[in-house]
Amino acid sequence: MEYKVRTEPLELQVMRILIARADLAESDRQYYRNLEKGYEGELFFDSITRQLQSNCLILNDLLLEANHSTFQIDSLIIFPNSLQVFDIKNNEGDHYFEEEKLFIKPNLEISNPVDQIKRTENRFRRWVKDHGFSFPIVVNIVFVNPRFTLYQAPMNMPFIFHSQLDRYFEQLDSHTGKLTSKHKLLADQLINSQVSKEPFIKLPTYDYGNLRKGIICEKCNKIAVAVDRGKHCLCLDCGHKELVETAVLRSVEEIKLLFPDRKITTNLVHEWCKVVPSKKRINRILEKNLKKSGKNKWVYFE
Ligand SMILES: [Zn+2]
């Protein structure tokens, strides 16, 4: 049972907007692609764990602190007999292991997920102990991508490859144990102990004036949406149609995410969306969907 669902990371949401509205450096574009890919891998993993039938609690995306260090767990599954920690990797291509280091062929060294999961394991063990629980803990690194190959992987590494996923979960799912109130208490304490993420640490700087204005297509993420007098707007790049109203409200959410201190006014949204000619139309959409505050010249929406 999915006890804590995964939500789309804020960094990813912001980067997706910036990719469309700003001219980012190649390193930032690469960072964005990695975020998309990582999240895609996590969603794939969730689609598998959601099929588990046995008694278990699935907690996705935990950010915790133990001994003054924060650590993140992509997925934790509480089974009656064990706590299974999963670090999810969506790498693809040919990789190899040599002298406890991980390389992409032919010879690019990348960070070794084993070192990372060992740190996570130590901190999580400490957390569990500090909170008065005692359960066996098993850590796993899951390579979810079917296009990933790892040569020379020692057999004692905590790896699960795409081809092994079904079997691994079938085996975990075959237990007949029952969860107790202790398991539930652990799950609740984990959720209540979340530490907040340092916001937008790796994001490129951006400012309102330099960002491209217009409406981003919800399907292809390009600023290529055109609006006429009809109810729908149209993406000139991929042909996707969307209600003008929902497109404008999506754009309002972008402003809120990128500029949380700005007040949402008709003028601001009109300028941000750019392609909706009529200010009155923008105003009608805001009045219908948001709460109006302030008076006369100072009206804004929440
Ligand atoms: Zn499109």
Side-chain angles (χ1 to χ4, degrees), residues 121-252:
E121 180 178 6
N122 288 336
R123 288 169 188 170
F124 185 52
R125 280 188 194 285
R126 174 78 186 254
W127 190 98
V128 170
K129 190 165 165 257
D130 286 353
H131 287 77
F133 296 99
S134 130
F135 292 106
I137 294 171
V138 181
V139 296
N140 309 279
I141 297 168
V142 197
F143 292 100
V144 291
N145 200 308
R147 295 158 66 94
F148 172 81
T149 304
L150 183 57
Y151 294 96
Q152 298 167 196
M155 293 219 311
N156 60 355
M157 291 289 164
F159 297 148
I160 304 171
F161 299 108
H162 182 90
S163 58
Q164 301 172 315
L165 268 171
D166 285 350
R167 213 168 356 122
Y168 192 82
F169 278 108
E170 272 164 26
Q171 199 203 338
L172 279 180
D173 212 17
S174 64
H175 73 85
T176 50
K178 292 251 179 309
L179 293 171
T180 65
S181 55
K182 235 183 171 174
H183 295 103
K184 172 87 168 27
L185 186 67
L186 170 67
D188 289 335
Q189 287 203 12
L190 282 164
I191 291 173
N192 293 331
S193 305
Q194 297 293 293
V195 295
S196 53
K197 237 178 211 175
E198 287 208 37
F200 305 164
I201 242 173
K202 288 181 189 158
L203 290 181
T205 53
Y206 55 86
D207 70 71
Y208 180 84
N210 289 339
L211 296 180
R212 278 190 280 280
K213 310 300 185 287
I215 294 178
I216 298 176
C217 171
E218 64 170 347
K219 196 169 168 215
C220 73
N221 204 48
K222 299 216 169 80
I223 291 215
V225 172
V227 175
D228 60 17
R229 285 159 187 274
K231 271 191 162 182
H232 290 89
C233 48
L234 179 74
C235 175
L236 302 176
D237 199 81
C238 75
H240 179 69
K241 259 176 137 183
E242 186 185 9
L243 281 173
V244 175
E245 185 168 324
T246 55
V248 168
L249 293 172
R250 267 197 309 109
S251 307
V252 170

Side-chain angles (χ1 to χ4, degrees), residues 244-253 255-256 263-271 273 278-293 299-302:
V244 175
E245 185 168 324
T246 55
V248 168
L249 293 172
R250 267 197 309 109
S251 307
V252 170
E253 290 307 314
I255 304 176
K256 284 185 184 170
K263 283 200 160 51
I264 302 298
T265 63
T266 303
N267 279 339
L268 178 66
V269 177
H270 183 250
E271 186 178 63
C273 292
S278 154
K279 241 184 227 185
K280 271 193 185 149
R281 189 171 187 187
I282 295 278
N283 188 254
R284 269 201 307 274
I285 294 172
L286 298 181
E287 290 212 347
K288 185 177 155 197
N289 293 283
L290 303 175
K291 188 174 155 271
K292 199 169 167 179
S293 288
V299 167
Y300 63 94
F301 297 89
E302 291 172 291

Side-chain angles (χ1 to χ4, degrees), residues 40-180:
E40 195 183 292
E42 289 166 2
L43 292 183
F44 172 77
F45 184 78
D46 294 348
S47 72
I48 293 175
T49 57
R50 232 173 261 137
Q51 293 167 28
L52 290 169
Q53 301 286 324
S54 65
N55 252 309
C56 65
L57 299 171
I58 305 168
L59 283 79
N60 294 314
D61 204 8
L62 295 169
L63 191 65
L64 299 159
E65 193 182 284
N67 203 17
H68 307 292
S69 306
T70 55
F71 61 100
Q72 197 198 325
I73 295 178
D74 290 341
S75 280
L76 168 72
I77 308 187
I78 301 176
F79 285 99
N81 309 323
S82 68
L83 309 180
Q84 298 272 337
V85 174
F86 295 93
D87 190 34
I88 304 161
K89 298 282 169 207
N90 196 11
N91 301 42
E92 61 178 81
D94 293 338
H95 294 60
Y96 63 94
F97 227 86
E98 202 167 83
E99 293 171 2
E100 303 198 354
K101 288 179 182 155
L102 183 62
F103 297 86
I104 303 180
K105 275 178 94 176
N107 56 13
L108 174 67
E109 187 182 347
I110 57 174
S111 69
N112 184 351
V114 180
D115 298 338
Q116 193 199 327
I117 197 110
K118 275 185 189 154
R119 277 196 299 274
T120 303
E121 180 178 6
N122 288 336
R123 288 169 188 170
F124 185 52
R125 280 188 194 285
R126 174 78 186 254
W127 190 98
V128 170
K129 190 165 165 257
D130 286 353
H131 287 77
F133 296 99
S134 130
F135 292 106
I137 294 171
V138 181
V139 296
N140 309 279
I141 297 168
V142 197
F143 292 100
V144 291
N145 200 308
R147 295 158 66 94
F148 172 81
T149 304
L150 183 57
Y151 294 96
Q152 298 167 196
M155 293 219 311
N156 60 355
M157 291 289 164
F159 297 148
I160 304 171
F161 299 108
H162 182 90
S163 58
Q164 301 172 315
L165 268 171
D166 285 350
R167 213 168 356 122
Y168 192 82
F169 278 108
E170 272 164 26
Q171 199 203 338
L172 279 180
D173 212 17
S174 64
H175 73 85
T176 50
K178 292 251 179 309
L179 293 171
T180 65

